[in-house]
Amino acid sequence: MAGVLASVDSRTQLVGENRLELLMFRLLTGQLFAINVFKIQEVMRLPALSNLPHHHPYVVGVTHLRGQTVTVINLSQAIGMPALQPTEESNLIVTEYNNSVQAFLVGGVDRIINMNWDEIMPPPRTTGRSHYLTAITRVEEKIVEIIDVEKVLAEISPYLISIDTENLDEQIRQAASRMEVLMVDDSSTARAQVKETLGHLGITIHEASDGREGLEKLRAMADAGEDVPNKLLMLITDAEMPEMDGYRLTREIREDPRLKDLFITLHTSLSGSFNKAMVQKVGCDDFLSKFQPKQLFDLVVRRIAEVEGLEVPEETV
């Protein structure tokens, strides 16, 4: 397994250049699946697992790695396929999403490929597993399906979106009802979470499922004569997306005189410390790790107050 991940350290040089590395693997059949290498901590042969009482049906147990207990998820079962039965040939892909570590039980691990984001395409709507895919690509004439891990994790451990707006300033509330935000994310689960969180404010949410679509929407607004930085309270964008990632999207916006003053927040499950550096490099205004509803809500409230010239208490809600 060490050989498979030998190139992992190089991945940080790709992010921000509209490039990525994918780890390809199989589940029950010869079909290839993939996860972005940047989310992966390690790949290993299946170790001994301990039973987890009252666990979710897709959880096959827990293992202990480097002093922490890690939940092991049967990925095949989690995306609607028959459960993968653990064997000596099984592997674990240990990942970090949204500041938590988990492991996925998979079959054979194939290899790492280096690609451009514009080679990554949205899944066809006719695909049976499209509900659990963020994208597809083609490698040596074979289709590779890229799994929406955020959706898998949200179904196993649902996010609780509880926002107390009782003490929210009425001026903020009224101003929010006039505000518009563009949300760009290839995960329908992530978009739904943001919409539900900001729904407490009554903000109008526009959506795009990748960076290129988001940029086209912004340019269409500008072409129609709209003052986009004033029309939109902010752009909330994921980092990893088909066709164009969030870093390239930000660069394109900053290079367009009509869009360059738009407030941009990077909202991603990638490493927090790394993204803080990328925020400065590409010119985002803020960064927020997924998925933290109160922090997102507070960020938007602070932005509304800034635009409206209102004071915001330390605890906004």
Side-chain angles (χ1 to χ4, degrees):
M1 292 302 101
V4 173
L5 289 180
S7 63
V8 170
D9 288 342
S10 68
R11 67 192 185 274
T12 56
Q13 299 172 18
L14 304 178
V15 180
E17 303 300 328
N18 212 45
R19 297 181 64 80
L20 78 160
E21 286 183 327
L22 294 173
L23 174 66
M24 299 192 299
F25 57 90
R26 292 178 171 83
L27 295 174
L28 290 168
T29 65
Q31 173 60 44
L32 285 166
F33 297 90
I35 295 176
N36 192 330
V37 171
F38 199 84
K39 305 276 184 75
I40 299 172
Q41 289 192 346
E42 63 181 302
V43 178
M44 59 192 300
R45 288 293 187 192
L46 181 64
L49 301 179
S50 302
N51 188 40
L52 183 66
H54 313 296
H55 60 76
H56 188 280
Y58 301 160
V59 172
V60 294
V62 297
T63 189
H64 301 281
L65 298 173
R66 296 180 176 82
Q68 62 181 329
T69 301
V70 177
T71 301
V72 178
I73 298 165
N74 194 316
L75 187 55
S76 179
Q77 195 174 10
I79 64 171
M81 298 170 61
L84 181 67
Q85 299 303 315
T87 69
E88 292 183 357
E89 300 303 314
S90 298
N91 293 285
L92 283 190
I93 300 177
V94 183
T95 65
E96 181 176 357
Y97 281 82
N98 306 335
N99 298 314
S100 68
V101 176
Q102 55 287 130
F104 294 102
L105 173 67
V106 302
V109 172
D110 190 270
R111 58 196 157 108
I112 287 174
I113 53 172
N114 185 317
M115 306 195 75
N116 290 314
W117 272 111
D118 56 15
E119 298 176 275
I120 310 298
M121 302 162 288
R125 295 181 180 180
T126 55
T127 303
R129 287 186 297 276
S130 63
H131 196 48
Y132 291 95
L133 303 181
T134 56
I136 63 170
T137 191
R138 187 180 293 274
V139 177
E140 297 172 356
E141 302 307 312
K142 293 181 180 179
I143 294 293
V144 180
E145 300 183 350
I146 302 171
I147 294 175
D148 186 349
V149 178
E150 290 173 3
K151 179 173 179 58
V152 170
L153 296 177
E155 292 188 351
I156 293 174
S157 181
Y159 295 99
L160 298 177
I161 302 177
S162 178
I163 303 293
D164 180 10
T165 61
E166 185 176 343
N167 298 320
L168 185 64
D169 185 275
E170 185 60 30
Q171 289 180 292
I172 294 286
R173 195 188 304 273
Q174 291 180 6
S177 67
R178 304 189 300 270
M179 301 290 183
E180 300 177 50
V181 166
L182 175 59
M183 172 67 192
V184 183
D185 200 304
D186 60 331
S187 170
S188 59
T189 299
R191 296 197 305 272
Q193 290 166 343
V194 170
K195 287 173 66 177
E196 184 177 350
T197 299
L198 299 188
H200 292 85
L201 286 166
I203 291 178
T204 298
I205 306 291
H206 304 280
E207 296 181 59
S209 58
D210 61 64
R212 191 174 303 281
E213 181 187 355
L215 185 61
E216 288 172 355
K217 284 181 179 288
L218 292 171
R219 286 175 172 169
M221 293 177 191
D223 290 343
E226 297 187 84
D227 184 347
V228 177
N230 285 325
K231 174 182 174 63
L232 297 179
L233 176 68
M234 65 171 65
L235 165 71
I236 301 173
T237 180
D238 189 18
E240 307 169 276
M241 294 178 289
E243 309 245 18
M244 180 185 291
D245 66 21
Y247 305 113
R248 176 61 61 87
L249 171 60
T250 300
R251 283 181 173 175
E252 294 285 344
I253 290 170
R254 296 302 185 224
E255 291 173 2
D256 189 325
R258 306 169 301 170
L259 306 175
K260 64 182 180 64
D261 295 326
L262 179 62
F263 189 96
I264 303 175
T265 296
L266 192 67
H267 185 238
T268 173
S269 55
L270 289 174
S271 163
S273 58
F274 176 76
N275 270 312
K276 288 177 182 177
M278 288 304 301
V279 162
Q280 295 178 346
K281 180 179 178 181
V282 302
C284 293
D285 295 287
D286 213 326
F287 161 77
L288 187 65
S289 295
K290 291 180 179 176
F291 184 72
Q292 304 178 65
K294 186 179 185 303
Q295 285 85 340
L296 173 61
F297 189 90
D298 287 354
L299 170 65
V300 173
V301 167
R302 289 194 300 272
R303 176 63 181 157
I304 293 172
E306 177 184 320
V307 169
E308 294 293 306
L310 302 172
E311 291 188 10
V312 182
E314 281 189 24
E315 284 295 319
T316 57
V317 294

PDB file of all heavy atoms in Angstrom, residues 180-206:
ATOM      1  N   GLU A 180     -29.110  38.257  -1.597  1.00  0.00           N
ATOM      2  CA  GLU A 180     -28.962  37.094  -2.476  1.00  0.00           C
ATOM      3  C   GLU A 180     -27.546  36.536  -2.340  1.00  0.00           C
ATOM      4  O   GLU A 180     -26.585  37.296  -2.194  1.00  0.00           O
ATOM      5  CB  GLU A 180     -29.225  37.479  -3.931  1.00  0.00           C
ATOM      6  CG  GLU A 180     -30.613  38.026  -4.201  1.00  0.00           C
ATOM      7  CD  GLU A 180     -30.790  38.459  -5.640  1.00  0.00           C
ATOM      8  OE1 GLU A 180     -30.449  37.661  -6.544  1.00  0.00           O
ATOM      9  OE2 GLU A 180     -31.256  39.600  -5.869  1.00  0.00           O
ATOM     10  N   VAL A 181     -27.444  35.212  -2.379  1.00  0.00           N
ATOM     11  CA  VAL A 181     -26.163  34.518  -2.275  1.00  0.00           C
ATOM     12  C   VAL A 181     -26.076  33.497  -3.399  1.00  0.00           C
ATOM     13  O   VAL A 181     -27.076  32.866  -3.752  1.00  0.00           O
ATOM     14  CB  VAL A 181     -26.037  33.806  -0.901  1.00  0.00           C
ATOM     15  CG1 VAL A 181     -24.880  32.810  -0.903  1.00  0.00           C
ATOM     16  CG2 VAL A 181     -25.867  34.822   0.218  1.00  0.00           C
ATOM     17  N   LEU A 182     -24.877  33.336  -3.977  1.00  0.00           N
ATOM     18  CA  LEU A 182     -24.649  32.255  -4.935  1.00  0.00           C
ATOM     19  C   LEU A 182     -23.879  31.152  -4.235  1.00  0.00           C
ATOM     20  O   LEU A 182     -22.799  31.378  -3.692  1.00  0.00           O
ATOM     21  CB  LEU A 182     -23.864  32.755  -6.154  1.00  0.00           C
ATOM     22  CG  LEU A 182     -23.464  31.675  -7.178  1.00  0.00           C
ATOM     23  CD1 LEU A 182     -24.685  30.961  -7.742  1.00  0.00           C
ATOM     24  CD2 LEU A 182     -22.629  32.281  -8.307  1.00  0.00           C
ATOM     25  N   MET A 183     -24.445  29.934  -4.248  1.00  0.00           N
ATOM     26  CA  MET A 183     -23.835  28.759  -3.638  1.00  0.00           C
ATOM     27  C   MET A 183     -23.341  27.833  -4.743  1.00  0.00           C
ATOM     28  O   MET A 183     -24.121  27.403  -5.600  1.00  0.00           O
ATOM     29  CB  MET A 183     -24.875  28.034  -2.772  1.00  0.00           C
ATOM     30  CG  MET A 183     -24.427  26.694  -2.244  1.00  0.00           C
ATOM     31  SD  MET A 183     -23.083  26.881  -1.072  1.00  0.00           S
ATOM     32  CE  MET A 183     -22.534  25.192  -0.894  1.00  0.00           C
ATOM     33  N   VAL A 184     -22.025  27.551  -4.761  1.00  0.00           N
ATOM     34  CA  VAL A 184     -21.438  26.703  -5.807  1.00  0.00           C
ATOM     35  C   VAL A 184     -20.834  25.465  -5.147  1.00  0.00           C
ATOM     36  O   VAL A 184     -19.879  25.572  -4.372  1.00  0.00           O
ATOM     37  CB  VAL A 184     -20.362  27.465  -6.607  1.00  0.00           C
ATOM     38  CG1 VAL A 184     -19.832  26.587  -7.740  1.00  0.00           C
ATOM     39  CG2 VAL A 184     -20.927  28.766  -7.176  1.00  0.00           C
ATOM     40  N   ASP A 185     -21.396  24.295  -5.449  1.00  0.00           N
ATOM     41  CA  ASP A 185     -20.910  23.051  -4.847  1.00  0.00           C
ATOM     42  C   ASP A 185     -21.421  21.885  -5.677  1.00  0.00           C
ATOM     43  O   ASP A 185     -22.584  21.883  -6.087  1.00  0.00           O
ATOM     44  CB  ASP A 185     -21.403  22.922  -3.400  1.00  0.00           C
ATOM     45  CG  ASP A 185     -20.571  21.951  -2.585  1.00  0.00           C
ATOM     46  OD1 ASP A 185     -20.442  20.781  -3.005  1.00  0.00           O
ATOM     47  OD2 ASP A 185     -20.051  22.349  -1.528  1.00  0.00           O
ATOM     48  N   ASP A 186     -20.562  20.902  -5.944  1.00  0.00           N
ATOM     49  CA  ASP A 186     -20.998  19.757  -6.737  1.00  0.00           C
ATOM     50  C   ASP A 186     -21.792  18.748  -5.922  1.00  0.00           C
ATOM     51  O   ASP A 186     -22.418  17.855  -6.485  1.00  0.00           O
ATOM     52  CB  ASP A 186     -19.802  19.071  -7.403  1.00  0.00           C
ATOM     53  CG  ASP A 186     -18.792  18.549  -6.391  1.00  0.00           C
ATOM     54  OD1 ASP A 186     -18.674  19.129  -5.304  1.00  0.00           O
ATOM     55  OD2 ASP A 186     -18.100  17.562  -6.709  1.00  0.00           O
ATOM     56  N   SER A 187     -21.792  18.868  -4.606  1.00  0.00           N
ATOM     57  CA  SER A 187     -22.536  17.954  -3.752  1.00  0.00           C
ATOM     58  C   SER A 187     -23.922  18.520  -3.459  1.00  0.00           C
ATOM     59  O   SER A 187     -24.053  19.589  -2.852  1.00  0.00           O
ATOM     60  CB  SER A 187     -21.790  17.724  -2.434  1.00  0.00           C
ATOM     61  OG  SER A 187     -22.613  17.026  -1.519  1.00  0.00           O
ATOM     62  N   SER A 188     -24.961  17.808  -3.883  1.00  0.00           N
ATOM     63  CA  SER A 188     -26.329  18.258  -3.604  1.00  0.00           C
ATOM     64  C   SER A 188     -26.586  18.283  -2.106  1.00  0.00           C
ATOM     65  O   SER A 188     -27.361  19.107  -1.612  1.00  0.00           O
ATOM     66  CB  SER A 188     -27.343  17.351  -4.306  1.00  0.00           C
ATOM     67  OG  SER A 188     -27.206  16.011  -3.877  1.00  0.00           O
ATOM     68  N   THR A 189     -25.921  17.391  -1.380  1.00  0.00           N
ATOM     69  CA  THR A 189     -26.064  17.369   0.076  1.00  0.00           C
ATOM     70  C   THR A 189     -25.526  18.652   0.688  1.00  0.00           C
ATOM     71  O   THR A 189     -26.166  19.267   1.547  1.00  0.00           O
ATOM     72  CB  THR A 189     -25.315  16.161   0.666  1.00  0.00           C
ATOM     73  OG1 THR A 189     -25.888  14.957   0.140  1.00  0.00           O
ATOM     74  CG2 THR A 189     -25.407  16.143   2.184  1.00  0.00           C
ATOM     75  N   ALA A 190     -24.347  19.086   0.244  1.00  0.00           N
ATOM     76  CA  ALA A 190     -23.755  20.317   0.774  1.00  0.00           C
ATOM     77  C   ALA A 190     -24.622  21.526   0.441  1.00  0.00           C
ATOM     78  O   ALA A 190     -24.824  22.411   1.278  1.00  0.00           O
ATOM     79  CB  ALA A 190     -22.345  20.498   0.218  1.00  0.00           C
ATOM     80  N   ARG A 191     -25.144  21.571  -0.785  1.00  0.00           N
ATOM     81  CA  ARG A 191     -26.002  22.696  -1.162  1.00  0.00           C
ATOM     82  C   ARG A 191     -27.261  22.724  -0.308  1.00  0.00           C
ATOM     83  O   ARG A 191     -27.706  23.785   0.133  1.00  0.00           O
ATOM     84  CB  ARG A 191     -26.371  22.625  -2.652  1.00  0.00           C
ATOM     85  CG  ARG A 191     -25.185  22.772  -3.591  1.00  0.00           C
ATOM     86  CD  ARG A 191     -25.617  23.106  -5.009  1.00  0.00           C
ATOM     87  NE  ARG A 191     -26.571  22.168  -5.569  1.00  0.00           N
ATOM     88  CZ  ARG A 191     -26.244  21.059  -6.219  1.00  0.00           C
ATOM     89  NH1 ARG A 191     -24.958  20.746  -6.383  1.00  0.00           N
ATOM     90  NH2 ARG A 191     -27.171  20.269  -6.722  1.00  0.00           N
ATOM     91  N   ALA A 192     -27.826  21.563  -0.056  1.00  0.00           N
ATOM     92  CA  ALA A 192     -29.040  21.492   0.760  1.00  0.00           C
ATOM     93  C   ALA A 192     -28.771  21.949   2.190  1.00  0.00           C
ATOM     94  O   ALA A 192     -29.610  22.625   2.813  1.00  0.00           O
ATOM     95  CB  ALA A 192     -29.598  20.067   0.754  1.00  0.00           C
ATOM     96  N   GLN A 193     -27.598  21.596   2.722  1.00  0.00           N
ATOM     97  CA  GLN A 193     -27.251  21.998   4.085  1.00  0.00           C
ATOM     98  C   GLN A 193     -27.111  23.510   4.196  1.00  0.00           C
ATOM     99  O   GLN A 193     -27.583  24.120   5.161  1.00  0.00           O
ATOM    100  CB  GLN A 193     -25.961  21.296   4.509  1.00  0.00           C
ATOM    101  CG  GLN A 193     -26.127  19.804   4.731  1.00  0.00           C
ATOM    102  CD  GLN A 193     -24.797  19.070   4.827  1.00  0.00           C
ATOM    103  OE1 GLN A 193     -23.759  19.590   4.433  1.00  0.00           O
ATOM    104  NE2 GLN A 193     -24.836  17.866   5.340  1.00  0.00           N
ATOM    105  N   VAL A 194     -26.473  24.118   3.211  1.00  0.00           N
ATOM    106  CA  VAL A 194     -26.317  25.576   3.220  1.00  0.00           C
ATOM    107  C   VAL A 194     -27.674  26.252   3.079  1.00  0.00           C
ATOM    108  O   VAL A 194     -27.982  27.224   3.783  1.00  0.00           O
ATOM    109  CB  VAL A 194     -25.360  26.028   2.101  1.00  0.00           C
ATOM    110  CG1 VAL A 194     -25.391  27.548   1.952  1.00  0.00           C
ATOM    111  CG2 VAL A 194     -23.936  25.564   2.412  1.00  0.00           C
ATOM    112  N   LYS A 195     -28.507  25.747   2.181  1.00  0.00           N
ATOM    113  CA  LYS A 195     -29.832  26.329   1.983  1.00  0.00           C
ATOM    114  C   LYS A 195     -30.667  26.241   3.252  1.00  0.00           C
ATOM    115  O   LYS A 195     -31.375  27.192   3.612  1.00  0.00           O
ATOM    116  CB  LYS A 195     -30.548  25.620   0.840  1.00  0.00           C
ATOM    117  CG  LYS A 195     -30.000  25.964  -0.536  1.00  0.00           C
ATOM    118  CD  LYS A 195     -30.633  25.121  -1.613  1.00  0.00           C
ATOM    119  CE  LYS A 195     -32.101  25.422  -1.777  1.00  0.00           C
ATOM    120  NZ  LYS A 195     -32.690  24.637  -2.901  1.00  0.00           N
ATOM    121  N   GLU A 196     -30.585  25.107   3.935  1.00  0.00           N
ATOM    122  CA  GLU A 196     -31.362  24.959   5.177  1.00  0.00           C
ATOM    123  C   GLU A 196     -30.855  25.903   6.262  1.00  0.00           C
ATOM    124  O   GLU A 196     -31.633  26.527   6.979  1.00  0.00           O
ATOM    125  CB  GLU A 196     -31.286  23.515   5.673  1.00  0.00           C
ATOM    126  CG  GLU A 196     -32.150  23.268   6.902  1.00  0.00           C
ATOM    127  CD  GLU A 196     -32.148  21.828   7.355  1.00  0.00           C
ATOM    128  OE1 GLU A 196     -31.620  20.963   6.616  1.00  0.00           O
ATOM    129  OE2 GLU A 196     -32.668  21.556   8.454  1.00  0.00           O
ATOM    130  N   THR A 197     -29.539  26.041   6.366  1.00  0.00           N
ATOM    131  CA  THR A 197     -28.957  26.932   7.369  1.00  0.00           C
ATOM    132  C   THR A 197     -29.343  28.382   7.111  1.00  0.00           C
ATOM    133  O   THR A 197     -29.812  29.085   8.009  1.00  0.00           O
ATOM    134  CB  THR A 197     -27.424  26.800   7.376  1.00  0.00           C
ATOM    135  OG1 THR A 197     -27.067  25.456   7.695  1.00  0.00           O
ATOM    136  CG2 THR A 197     -26.805  27.736   8.410  1.00  0.00           C
ATOM    137  N   LEU A 198     -29.163  28.832   5.882  1.00  0.00           N
ATOM    138  CA  LEU A 198     -29.441  30.234   5.564  1.00  0.00           C
ATOM    139  C   LEU A 198     -30.932  30.495   5.380  1.00  0.00           C
ATOM    140  O   LEU A 198     -31.363  31.648   5.337  1.00  0.00           O
ATOM    141  CB  LEU A 198     -28.667  30.653   4.317  1.00  0.00           C
ATOM    142  CG  LEU A 198     -27.144  30.548   4.428  1.00  0.00           C
ATOM    143  CD1 LEU A 198     -26.480  31.181   3.220  1.00  0.00           C
ATOM    144  CD2 LEU A 198     -26.641  31.191   5.713  1.00  0.00           C
ATOM    145  N   GLY A 199     -31.713  29.416   5.294  1.00  0.00           N
ATOM    146  CA  GLY A 199     -33.157  29.585   5.215  1.00  0.00           C
ATOM    147  C   GLY A 199     -33.726  30.278   6.435  1.00  0.00           C
ATOM    148  O   GLY A 199     -34.785  30.914   6.372  1.00  0.00           O
ATOM    149  N   HIS A 200     -33.024  30.176   7.575  1.00  0.00           N
ATOM    150  CA  HIS A 200     -33.466  30.854   8.790  1.00  0.00           C
ATOM    151  C   HIS A 200     -33.418  32.372   8.632  1.00  0.00           C
ATOM    152  O   HIS A 200     -34.028  33.099   9.417  1.00  0.00           O
ATOM    153  CB  HIS A 200     -32.590  30.440   9.976  1.00  0.00           C
ATOM    154  CG  HIS A 200     -32.772  29.005  10.388  1.00  0.00           C
ATOM    155  ND1 HIS A 200     -32.095  27.972   9.790  1.00  0.00           N
ATOM    156  CD2 HIS A 200     -33.563  28.442  11.328  1.00  0.00           C
ATOM    157  CE1 HIS A 200     -32.448  26.827  10.352  1.00  0.00           C
ATOM    158  NE2 HIS A 200     -33.339  27.079  11.283  1.00  0.00           N
ATOM    159  N   LEU A 201     -32.662  32.840   7.643  1.00  0.00           N
ATOM    160  CA  LEU A 201     -32.539  34.279   7.414  1.00  0.00           C
ATOM    161  C   LEU A 201     -33.434  34.783   6.277  1.00  0.00           C
ATOM    162  O   LEU A 201     -33.597  35.985   6.098  1.00  0.00           O
ATOM    163  CB  LEU A 201     -31.082  34.634   7.073  1.00  0.00           C
ATOM    164  CG  LEU A 201     -30.090  34.598   8.227  1.00  0.00           C
ATOM    165  CD1 LEU A 201     -28.666  34.633   7.692  1.00  0.00           C
ATOM    166  CD2 LEU A 201     -30.332  35.765   9.179  1.00  0.00           C
ATOM    167  N   GLY A 202     -33.970  33.864   5.499  1.00  0.00           N
ATOM    168  CA  GLY A 202     -34.802  34.276   4.377  1.00  0.00           C
ATOM    169  C   GLY A 202     -34.026  34.795   3.191  1.00  0.00           C
ATOM    170  O   GLY A 202     -34.571  35.500   2.331  1.00  0.00           O
ATOM    171  N   ILE A 203     -32.746  34.463   3.117  1.00  0.00           N
ATOM    172  CA  ILE A 203     -31.904  34.904   1.991  1.00  0.00           C
ATOM    173  C   ILE A 203     -32.258  34.108   0.735  1.00  0.00           C
ATOM    174  O   ILE A 203     -32.524  32.911   0.796  1.00  0.00           O
ATOM    175  CB  ILE A 203     -30.419  34.716   2.336  1.00  0.00           C
ATOM    176  CG1 ILE A 203     -29.992  35.707   3.427  1.00  0.00           C
ATOM    177  CG2 ILE A 203     -29.529  34.881   1.122  1.00  0.00           C
ATOM    178  CD1 ILE A 203     -28.556  35.550   3.863  1.00  0.00           C
ATOM    179  N   THR A 204     -32.238  34.765  -0.410  1.00  0.00           N
ATOM    180  CA  THR A 204     -32.437  34.086  -1.690  1.00  0.00           C
ATOM    181  C   THR A 204     -31.139  33.387  -2.093  1.00  0.00           C
ATOM    182  O   THR A 204     -30.082  34.018  -2.151  1.00  0.00           O
ATOM    183  CB  THR A 204     -32.837  35.085  -2.787  1.00  0.00           C
ATOM    184  OG1 THR A 204     -34.079  35.701  -2.422  1.00  0.00           O
ATOM    185  CG2 THR A 204     -32.999  34.381  -4.131  1.00  0.00           C
ATOM    186  N   ILE A 205     -31.227  32.081  -2.352  1.00  0.00           N
ATOM    187  CA  ILE A 205     -30.035  31.291  -2.691  1.00  0.00           C
ATOM    188  C   ILE A 205     -30.083  30.897  -4.159  1.00  0.00           C
ATOM    189  O   ILE A 205     -31.032  30.267  -4.625  1.00  0.00           O
ATOM    190  CB  ILE A 205     -29.948  30.012  -1.833  1.00  0.00           C
ATOM    191  CG1 ILE A 205     -30.028  30.323  -0.338  1.00  0.00           C
ATOM    192  CG2 ILE A 205     -28.657  29.247  -2.165  1.00  0.00           C
ATOM    193  CD1 ILE A 205     -28.847  31.036   0.214  1.00  0.00           C
ATOM    194  N   HIS A 206     -29.059  31.285  -4.908  1.00  0.00           N
ATOM    195  CA  HIS A 206     -28.861  30.801  -6.280  1.00  0.00           C
ATOM    196  C   HIS A 206     -27.862  29.651  -6.208  1.00  0.00           C
ATOM    197  O   HIS A 206     -26.948  29.664  -5.377  1.00  0.00           O
ATOM    198  CB  HIS A 206     -28.327  31.911  -7.170  1.00  0.00           C
ATOM    199  CG  HIS A 206     -29.187  33.137  -7.200  1.00  0.00           C
ATOM    200  ND1 HIS A 206     -30.322  33.234  -7.966  1.00  0.00           N
ATOM    201  CD2 HIS A 206     -29.076  34.322  -6.539  1.00  0.00           C
ATOM    202  CE1 HIS A 206     -30.885  34.425  -7.794  1.00  0.00           C
ATOM    203  NE2 HIS A 206     -30.142  35.108  -6.935  1.00  0.00           N
TER     204      HIS A 206
END
